[in-house]
Amino acid sequence: KYTLTFNSMCPECSDDIHIATACCYTVMEGGITMAVYKRNSMWYIDYYVKVSGKRERRREPVSTRRDVAEIRLREYQQLIKEGKDPIVSFSETVNFSEVIFKPTDGVIPSLNQFIPVFLKLHGKNRSSKTQESYRSSLLHLAPVFGKVKVNNISKVMVKTYMAHRTNEGASNATINREIACLKCILSRGVEWEYIEKNPIHGLSMLQESPPIERYLTPEEAKHLIEVSPQYLREVIIFALGTGMRKSEILNLTWDDVVIDEVFKYGEITVNGKGNKRRPIRMNKTVYDLILRKSKEDNGQYVFPSMKTDKNLTTVIHSFTSALEKAGITNFRFHDLRHTSASWMVQGGASLYSVQKILGHSSIRTTQRYAHLSPGYLEKEIGKIDDFLSLEKESEETISEQTERAAV
């Protein structure tokens, strides 16, 4: 453990703390681990805090300015040293027996008073990723709207907030996530009868840039697999062969796998989003991989950690390294799922089938994944030539008949 200041040299990578990368941390007094680092144009803070007796890691985007991120980190440092959660510290002390169970007694809570209610009744039932998104949004929303009664938060106030966040350098997507969180809080206020209506219902969001559609060609995929270490190679092949999410793959246990050639190589039961389970039939590539791994002493998980008896928790560093070796840019692990869906559609699979395999609740989501390569679309649009040639033949026939009639 090290005790460092923001202008100190990082003992891990010999870089300045104020431009630290994700592997560099400032360890404050009392063993509080914190960091400031830059990703693209945004400065982030990375810190640990104890929640319900467990140490929890949080990463929060702050600003395009380094000094703003450093100030925020110092504020968090002080709060954590005092034994406070930076998020909870924004909320006033609330007597839940009075607030939660008496929403119709005429007392309208402030946003700070209502945040603990929201997190207790709604937030804890959501996925860890959604909870992290709520926490990140509340860190920006609470200081601005915290003391305002929830029924008095107006559209003008929110629009002003959005403009302020834009000036701070936040992206439209980030701002929209924060406003969506605020809308959700106020909607729960209506549902639980704290207020009669959502005061910002119908508020328009900012225009977001369309997501970058990136997927691998078969040649790129083959090269990526070749340059990857063995454990990552298996994960990549499995991701391309099933279209499963990274978390679904890394958390897959042998109890979820059935190897049976009667069912065309067997079946995988996936624990997807919202704890929804879905079956996926294995293709030959996945079956061969699973069959080989089943003969190894892997323990509980299909893709175990090489250091512990538990599952792999991340492959981000090795995956990034493999991408660099393969010369592949602008590509994320999740894009393997995009690639799998695209290959299925190009191979003739229906969108309905792809929807069921990927576990989407809406076909519209599947359409986002099922983008096709320009070359493939050229072949498809070329089929119109067949119809145009018929039209041309028809025109030529009419022309010949006209000429003969003239003679």
Side-chain angles (χ1 to χ4, degrees):
K1 303 239 177 186
Y2 310 94
T3 301
L4 305 170
T5 63
F6 283 100
N7 294 318
S8 297
M9 185 83 63
C10 175
E12 300 294 335
C13 70
S14 299
D15 211 343
D16 289 343
I17 289 299
H18 69 268
I19 56 172
T21 60
C23 67
C24 308
Y25 301 102
T26 304
V27 183
M28 307 297 183
E29 295 178 6
I32 303 171
T33 308
M34 295 182 155
V36 174
Y37 65 95
K38 189 176 184 180
R39 180 176 297 168
N40 297 324
S41 61
M42 181 64 67
W43 283 89
Y44 286 70
I45 59 174
D46 187 342
Y47 65 98
Y48 287 85
V49 64
K50 281 192 174 182
V51 178
S52 301
K54 295 182 179 180
R55 196 163 182 255
E56 180 178 293
R57 184 178 187 178
R58 295 176 184 169
R59 299 182 182 93
E60 310 288 354
V62 180
S63 174
T64 53
R65 291 171 49 185
R66 186 191 74 204
D67 58 332
V68 174
E70 290 179 346
I71 292 172
R72 177 70 59 80
L73 192 61
R74 290 191 181 97
E75 292 174 349
Y76 282 14
Q77 175 197 0
Q78 185 59 41
L79 289 170
I80 293 174
K81 287 175 67 175
E82 295 173 359
K84 300 177 180 178
D85 185 325
I87 296 179
V88 176
S89 67
F90 287 129
S91 304
E92 302 164 4
T93 302
V94 180
N95 186 329
F96 281 93
S97 63
E98 293 180 1
V99 177
I100 290 181
F101 301 109
K102 296 182 180 179
T104 57
D105 60 2
V107 177
I108 305 296
S110 66
L111 183 66
N112 274 348
Q113 290 175 318
F114 193 65
I115 286 174
V117 181
F118 172 77
L119 295 177
K120 184 177 179 67
L121 297 184
H122 178 81
K124 72 174 184 178
N125 298 321
R126 296 299 179 265
S127 66
S128 58
K129 186 175 181 179
T130 300
Q131 291 182 46
E132 183 178 347
S133 176
Y134 285 159
R135 288 195 297 266
S136 178
S137 296
L138 289 171
L139 289 171
H140 297 282
L141 294 168
V144 177
F145 301 104
K147 296 182 179 180
V148 183
K149 299 289 186 182
V150 289
N151 63 328
N152 289 334
I153 297 176
S154 67
K155 293 181 180 179
V156 173
M157 293 170 62
V158 176
K159 279 293 185 181
T160 302
Y161 168 84
M162 295 166 73
H164 174 70
R165 291 287 287 130
T166 298
N167 292 335
E168 287 186 335
S171 67
N172 285 3
T174 297
I175 297 171
N176 283 346
R177 299 298 83 74
E178 293 168 4
I179 302 307
C181 176
L182 181 60
K183 283 186 174 182
C184 183
I185 291 173
L186 297 178
S187 293
R188 299 293 78 74
V190 175
E191 179 183 346
W192 300 332
E193 299 181 338
Y194 283 89
I195 53 179
E196 294 183 359
K197 64 178 182 178
N198 186 336
I200 62 172
H201 175 72
L203 179 73
S204 60
M205 307 290 257
L206 298 177
Q207 185 70 35
E208 296 184 31
S209 300
I212 299 175
E213 296 184 349
R214 177 70 165 100
Y215 55 96
L216 298 178
T217 63
E219 293 74 22
E220 286 178 318
K222 182 179 179 181
H223 190 32
L224 177 61
I225 292 170
E226 288 174 348
V227 300
S228 298
Q230 180 61 29
Y231 78 94
L232 178 61
R233 186 178 306 169
E234 294 175 342
V235 172
I236 293 174
I237 292 173
F238 194 85
L240 291 171
T242 62
M244 290 168 59
R245 301 176 179 91
K246 180 173 64 176
S247 61
E248 295 171 345
I249 296 172
L250 300 186
N251 291 319
L252 186 68
T253 67
W254 286 109
D255 291 338
D256 300 321
V257 178
V258 176
I259 301 175
D260 190 341
E261 292 191 42
V262 175
F263 293 102
K264 291 186 178 180
Y265 307 120
E267 187 174 85
I268 300 168
T269 301
V270 183
N271 291 306
K273 279 187 174 181
N275 294 321
K276 294 180 180 178
R277 296 171 67 84
R278 70 180 189 278
I280 296 180
R281 295 290 175 87
M282 298 184 206
N283 52 40
K284 187 177 186 306
T285 303
V286 173
Y287 173 77
D288 290 342
L289 173 61
I290 287 294
L291 189 62
R292 184 175 66 253
K293 290 188 68 63
S294 67
K295 297 176 181 179
E296 303 171 0
D297 185 16
N298 288 325
Q300 178 185 3
Y301 294 96
V302 177
F303 298 98
S305 169
M306 293 182 293
K307 299 180 180 180
T308 68
D309 59 349
K310 297 187 180 299
N311 59 318
L312 278 171
T313 56
T314 181
V315 293
I316 183 63
H317 295 299
S318 57
F319 186 70
T320 301
S321 177
L323 289 174
E324 293 176 355
K325 292 178 181 178
I328 298 173
T329 57
N330 299 321
F331 195 83
R332 309 160 301 168
F333 188 94
H334 192 75
D335 292 327
L336 295 172
R337 182 170 160 89
H338 292 239
T339 301
S340 181
S342 298
W343 287 358
M344 281 188 276
V345 173
Q346 291 183 47
S350 68
L351 288 183
Y352 177 79
S353 298
V354 176
Q355 175 192 1
K356 294 303 179 184
I357 292 172
L358 297 183
H360 292 151
S361 58
S362 170
I363 193 67
R364 294 181 61 185
T365 307
T366 311
Q367 290 170 339
R368 175 179 180 269
Y369 285 104
H371 28 264
L372 304 172
S373 68
Y376 183 84
L377 292 177
E378 287 174 9
K379 294 179 183 178
E380 294 301 308
I381 200 169
K383 294 179 180 179
I384 299 176
D385 288 334
D386 297 335
F387 295 93
L388 294 177
S389 64
L390 292 175
E391 291 290 337
K392 186 177 181 181
E393 291 175 1
S394 178
E395 290 178 1
E396 290 175 351
T397 301
I398 294 174
S399 177
E400 291 174 358
Q401 292 175 350
T402 302
E403 289 176 1
R404 286 197 297 268
V407 172

Short mmCIF file of all heavy atoms in Angstrom, two decimals, residues 296-321:
data_model
loop_
_atom_site.label_atom_id
_atom_site.label_comp_id
_atom_site.label_asym_id
_atom_site.label_seq_id
_atom_site.Cartn_x
_atom_site.Cartn_y
_atom_site.Cartn_z
N GLU A 296 -11.78 -32.16 -19.32
CA GLU A 296 -10.79 -31.53 -18.44
C GLU A 296 -11.37 -31.40 -17.04
O GLU A 296 -12.58 -31.43 -16.83
CB GLU A 296 -10.41 -30.15 -18.98
CG GLU A 296 -9.87 -30.16 -20.40
CD GLU A 296 -9.71 -28.75 -20.95
OE1 GLU A 296 -10.02 -27.79 -20.22
OE2 GLU A 296 -9.30 -28.63 -22.12
N ASP A 297 -10.51 -31.24 -16.05
CA ASP A 297 -10.96 -31.06 -14.67
C ASP A 297 -11.20 -29.57 -14.44
O ASP A 297 -10.36 -28.85 -13.93
CB ASP A 297 -9.91 -31.59 -13.70
CG ASP A 297 -10.40 -31.51 -12.25
OD1 ASP A 297 -11.62 -31.34 -12.06
OD2 ASP A 297 -9.56 -31.63 -11.34
N ASN A 298 -12.38 -29.09 -14.85
CA ASN A 298 -12.67 -27.66 -14.83
C ASN A 298 -13.41 -27.20 -13.59
O ASN A 298 -13.58 -26.00 -13.38
CB ASN A 298 -13.49 -27.27 -16.07
CG ASN A 298 -12.64 -27.29 -17.33
OD1 ASN A 298 -11.47 -26.96 -17.29
ND2 ASN A 298 -13.23 -27.72 -18.44
N GLY A 299 -13.91 -28.11 -12.79
CA GLY A 299 -14.69 -27.71 -11.63
C GLY A 299 -16.10 -27.32 -12.01
O GLY A 299 -16.70 -27.89 -12.92
N GLN A 300 -16.63 -26.30 -11.36
CA GLN A 300 -18.03 -25.92 -11.55
C GLN A 300 -18.28 -25.16 -12.84
O GLN A 300 -19.32 -25.33 -13.48
CB GLN A 300 -18.47 -25.05 -10.35
CG GLN A 300 -19.91 -24.55 -10.46
CD GLN A 300 -20.27 -23.60 -9.32
OE1 GLN A 300 -19.43 -23.28 -8.48
NE2 GLN A 300 -21.52 -23.16 -9.29
N TYR A 301 -17.32 -24.32 -13.24
CA TYR A 301 -17.55 -23.41 -14.37
C TYR A 301 -16.96 -23.95 -15.67
O TYR A 301 -15.91 -24.60 -15.68
CB TYR A 301 -16.98 -22.03 -14.07
CG TYR A 301 -17.69 -21.33 -12.93
CD1 TYR A 301 -17.20 -21.39 -11.63
CD2 TYR A 301 -18.87 -20.62 -13.16
CE1 TYR A 301 -17.86 -20.76 -10.59
CE2 TYR A 301 -19.54 -19.99 -12.13
CZ TYR A 301 -19.04 -20.06 -10.84
OH TYR A 301 -19.70 -19.44 -9.83
N VAL A 302 -17.64 -23.64 -16.77
CA VAL A 302 -17.16 -24.06 -18.09
C VAL A 302 -15.87 -23.33 -18.45
O VAL A 302 -14.97 -23.90 -19.06
CB VAL A 302 -18.25 -23.82 -19.15
CG1 VAL A 302 -17.73 -24.19 -20.54
CG2 VAL A 302 -19.51 -24.61 -18.83
N PHE A 303 -15.80 -22.05 -18.05
CA PHE A 303 -14.61 -21.26 -18.33
C PHE A 303 -14.02 -20.78 -16.99
O PHE A 303 -14.28 -19.66 -16.55
CB PHE A 303 -14.94 -20.07 -19.22
CG PHE A 303 -15.46 -20.47 -20.58
CD1 PHE A 303 -16.82 -20.48 -20.84
CD2 PHE A 303 -14.58 -20.87 -21.57
CE1 PHE A 303 -17.30 -20.87 -22.08
CE2 PHE A 303 -15.05 -21.26 -22.82
CZ PHE A 303 -16.41 -21.27 -23.07
N PRO A 304 -13.25 -21.64 -16.35
CA PRO A 304 -12.72 -21.31 -15.01
C PRO A 304 -11.51 -20.38 -15.08
O PRO A 304 -10.83 -20.29 -16.11
CB PRO A 304 -12.32 -22.67 -14.46
CG PRO A 304 -11.90 -23.44 -15.68
CD PRO A 304 -12.83 -22.99 -16.77
N SER A 305 -11.24 -19.72 -13.97
CA SER A 305 -10.04 -18.91 -13.84
C SER A 305 -8.83 -19.83 -13.74
O SER A 305 -8.90 -20.92 -13.17
CB SER A 305 -10.13 -18.02 -12.60
OG SER A 305 -8.88 -17.42 -12.32
N MET A 306 -7.71 -19.39 -14.29
CA MET A 306 -6.49 -20.18 -14.21
C MET A 306 -5.81 -20.04 -12.86
O MET A 306 -4.91 -20.79 -12.53
CB MET A 306 -5.52 -19.76 -15.33
CG MET A 306 -6.02 -20.08 -16.73
SD MET A 306 -4.83 -19.63 -18.01
CE MET A 306 -4.85 -17.84 -17.87
N LYS A 307 -6.26 -19.06 -12.06
CA LYS A 307 -5.64 -18.79 -10.77
C LYS A 307 -6.46 -19.28 -9.59
O LYS A 307 -5.92 -19.55 -8.52
CB LYS A 307 -5.38 -17.29 -10.62
CG LYS A 307 -4.43 -16.73 -11.68
CD LYS A 307 -4.23 -15.23 -11.48
CE LYS A 307 -3.28 -14.66 -12.52
NZ LYS A 307 -3.08 -13.20 -12.35
N THR A 308 -7.78 -19.36 -9.76
CA THR A 308 -8.64 -19.80 -8.66
C THR A 308 -9.57 -20.90 -9.15
O THR A 308 -9.57 -21.26 -10.33
CB THR A 308 -9.49 -18.62 -8.12
OG1 THR A 308 -10.46 -18.24 -9.14
CG2 THR A 308 -8.62 -17.41 -7.80
N ASP A 309 -10.39 -21.42 -8.24
CA ASP A 309 -11.35 -22.45 -8.62
C ASP A 309 -12.68 -21.85 -9.05
O ASP A 309 -13.66 -22.56 -9.26
CB ASP A 309 -11.56 -23.43 -7.46
CG ASP A 309 -12.08 -22.74 -6.20
OD1 ASP A 309 -12.08 -21.49 -6.18
OD2 ASP A 309 -12.48 -23.44 -5.25
N LYS A 310 -12.72 -20.53 -9.17
CA LYS A 310 -13.95 -19.85 -9.59
C LYS A 310 -13.90 -19.57 -11.08
O LYS A 310 -12.98 -20.00 -11.79
CB LYS A 310 -14.13 -18.57 -8.77
CG LYS A 310 -14.30 -18.83 -7.27
CD LYS A 310 -14.64 -17.56 -6.54
CE LYS A 310 -14.83 -17.80 -5.05
NZ LYS A 310 -15.92 -18.74 -4.77
N ASN A 311 -14.88 -18.82 -11.57
CA ASN A 311 -14.96 -18.54 -13.00
C ASN A 311 -14.09 -17.36 -13.39
O ASN A 311 -13.67 -16.56 -12.53
CB ASN A 311 -16.41 -18.24 -13.40
CG ASN A 311 -16.98 -17.05 -12.65
OD1 ASN A 311 -16.77 -16.91 -11.44
ND2 ASN A 311 -17.69 -16.19 -13.35
N LEU A 312 -13.82 -17.24 -14.68
CA LEU A 312 -13.17 -16.04 -15.19
C LEU A 312 -14.10 -14.85 -14.92
O LEU A 312 -15.30 -14.95 -15.12
CB LEU A 312 -12.94 -16.16 -16.70
CG LEU A 312 -11.73 -16.92 -17.20
CD1 LEU A 312 -11.82 -17.11 -18.72
CD2 LEU A 312 -10.44 -16.18 -16.84
N THR A 313 -13.55 -13.76 -14.47
CA THR A 313 -14.37 -12.58 -14.20
C THR A 313 -14.21 -11.51 -15.26
O THR A 313 -15.09 -10.68 -15.46
CB THR A 313 -14.03 -11.98 -12.83
OG1 THR A 313 -12.63 -11.68 -12.79
CG2 THR A 313 -14.38 -12.96 -11.71
N THR A 314 -13.08 -11.53 -15.98
CA THR A 314 -12.86 -10.55 -17.04
C THR A 314 -11.84 -11.08 -18.03
O THR A 314 -10.97 -11.88 -17.68
CB THR A 314 -12.38 -9.21 -16.46
OG1 THR A 314 -12.19 -8.27 -17.55
CG2 THR A 314 -11.05 -9.37 -15.74
N VAL A 315 -11.99 -10.64 -19.28
CA VAL A 315 -11.01 -10.97 -20.32
C VAL A 315 -10.61 -9.71 -21.08
O VAL A 315 -10.05 -9.77 -22.16
CB VAL A 315 -11.59 -12.02 -21.31
CG1 VAL A 315 -11.80 -13.36 -20.63
CG2 VAL A 315 -12.90 -11.52 -21.93
N ILE A 316 -10.91 -8.56 -20.48
CA ILE A 316 -10.77 -7.29 -21.18
C ILE A 316 -9.33 -7.02 -21.60
O ILE A 316 -9.06 -6.58 -22.72
CB ILE A 316 -11.32 -6.11 -20.33
CG1 ILE A 316 -11.24 -4.79 -21.10
CG2 ILE A 316 -10.59 -6.01 -19.01
CD1 ILE A 316 -12.08 -4.77 -22.35
N HIS A 317 -8.36 -7.29 -20.71
CA HIS A 317 -6.98 -6.96 -21.03
C HIS A 317 -6.42 -7.88 -22.11
O HIS A 317 -5.79 -7.42 -23.07
CB HIS A 317 -6.12 -7.05 -19.77
CG HIS A 317 -6.49 -6.04 -18.72
ND1 HIS A 317 -6.43 -4.68 -18.95
CD2 HIS A 317 -6.96 -6.19 -17.45
CE1 HIS A 317 -6.82 -4.04 -17.86
NE2 HIS A 317 -7.15 -4.93 -16.94
N SER A 318 -6.66 -9.18 -21.98
CA SER A 318 -6.17 -10.12 -22.99
C SER A 318 -6.90 -9.92 -24.32
O SER A 318 -6.30 -10.07 -25.40
CB SER A 318 -6.34 -11.56 -22.51
OG SER A 318 -7.69 -11.84 -22.19
N PHE A 319 -8.17 -9.58 -24.27
CA PHE A 319 -8.94 -9.35 -25.49
C PHE A 319 -8.43 -8.10 -26.22
O PHE A 319 -8.28 -8.11 -27.44
CB PHE A 319 -10.43 -9.20 -25.16
CG PHE A 319 -11.32 -9.12 -26.38
CD1 PHE A 319 -11.52 -10.23 -27.18
CD2 PHE A 319 -11.95 -7.94 -26.70
CE1 PHE A 319 -12.34 -10.16 -28.30
CE2 PHE A 319 -12.77 -7.86 -27.82
CZ PHE A 319 -12.97 -8.96 -28.62
N THR A 320 -8.15 -7.05 -25.46
CA THR A 320 -7.62 -5.82 -26.06
C THR A 320 -6.26 -6.09 -26.70
O THR A 320 -5.97 -5.60 -27.80
CB THR A 320 -7.47 -4.72 -24.99
OG1 THR A 320 -8.76 -4.46 -24.41
CG2 THR A 320 -6.93 -3.44 -25.60
N SER A 321 -5.44 -6.87 -26.02
CA SER A 321 -4.12 -7.23 -26.56
C SER A 321 -4.25 -8.03 -27.85
O SER A 321 -3.51 -7.80 -28.82
CB SER A 321 -3.34 -8.02 -25.52
OG SER A 321 -2.08 -8.43 -26.03
#
